[in-house]
Amino acid sequence: MKTLYLAGGCFWGTQKFLDQFDGVAETEVGYANGRTANPTYEEVCRKGTGHAETVRVEYDETKLSTQDLLRYYFMTIDPLSVNRQGNDIGTQYRTGIYYLTDDAAPEDVELVEDIYTVLEEVKARVGRPLAVEVLPLQNFYTAEEYHQKYLDKNPGGYCHIPRNLLHLEAE
């Protein structure tokens, strides 16, 4: 199993989108790479904590490659937008790919190489520099329970991702 942390605007839609793919074993929404410990949603939205709404994705690379996972991720974001996705505006809605790494582990070096391969593909396609952070994970705090699988509990809830993308596997 591998783990990536993907910030793609509001974490509700990103989690719902990623959950549909064979090979995704588990997702969890939370707050990543901020300046405070154990932030609440209210603090992330209003107190300038520096956290990004992020989804922790555990996946089986024998079923879903890192590159394919990231290609799916890029289907749901505007990679040129700074601190905004859809109607959501603020630093907590920035886009980012965060990874755990041990520079001595060959599989971690390969993971980072896979990330940059996909970034270069997207950059070539859009023809401009991307506004997607790519950084080692500094911290991740699990969001409140009511945010976990939010769109499953509230199917009519707001989502910046087009609804048809939330059901690709079923097609």
Side-chain angles (χ1 to χ4, degrees):
M1 297 299 270
K2 288 199 173 189
T3 304
L4 270 180
Y5 296 78
L6 301 175
C10 176
F11 49 27
W12 298 341
T14 302
Q15 181 179 44
K16 176 76 173 165
F17 176 75
L18 295 172
D19 277 343
Q20 72 182 303
F21 298 107
D22 187 36
V24 171
E26 184 178 325
T27 59
E28 176 182 50
V29 298
Y31 313 111
N33 283 15
R35 295 180 295 277
T36 61
N38 299 307
T40 65
Y41 181 69
E42 186 68 26
E43 290 169 340
V44 169
C45 290
R46 301 192 192 340
K47 304 276 184 175
T49 66
H51 288 88
E53 289 193 15
T54 302
V55 180
R56 179 183 55 81
V57 184
E58 286 190 23
Y59 60 103
D60 179 346
E61 200 177 40
T62 66
K63 294 180 179 179
L64 179 64
S65 72
T66 299
Q67 288 186 20
D68 284 343
L69 173 65
L70 291 172
R71 288 180 185 117
Y72 285 135
Y73 163 75
F74 276 102
M75 291 173 68
T76 64
I77 66 165
D78 175 351
L80 303 175
S81 184
V82 176
N83 299 332
R84 179 183 188 150
Q85 291 296 307
N87 293 327
D88 297 316
I89 301 171
T91 57
Q92 73 268 29
Y93 300 116
R94 68 186 180 271
T95 53
I97 301 167
Y98 310 120
Y99 55 91
L100 301 170
T101 188
D102 172 355
D103 292 334
E107 63 274 8
D108 291 337
V109 172
E110 184 178 304
L111 174 74
V112 174
E113 289 173 353
D114 286 345
I115 292 169
Y116 280 99
T117 295
V118 175
L119 284 172
E120 287 303 315
E121 287 174 9
V122 174
K123 185 177 173 183
R125 187 173 68 240
V126 299
R128 295 184 18 215
L130 306 181
V132 178
E133 293 183 326
V134 178
L135 298 167
L137 184 73
Q138 297 169 356
N139 52 54
F140 179 81
Y141 300 97
T142 302
E144 299 82 350
E145 182 55 38
Y146 73 91
H147 288 297
Q148 306 300 327
K149 311 286 186 188
Y150 182 87
L151 290 178
D152 289 341
K153 299 174 203 170
N154 302 281
Y158 169 74
C159 182
H160 71 280
I161 298 171
R163 297 284 174 179
N164 64 316
L165 291 181
L166 300 178
H167 305 286
L168 291 177
E169 281 287 296
E171 295 175 358

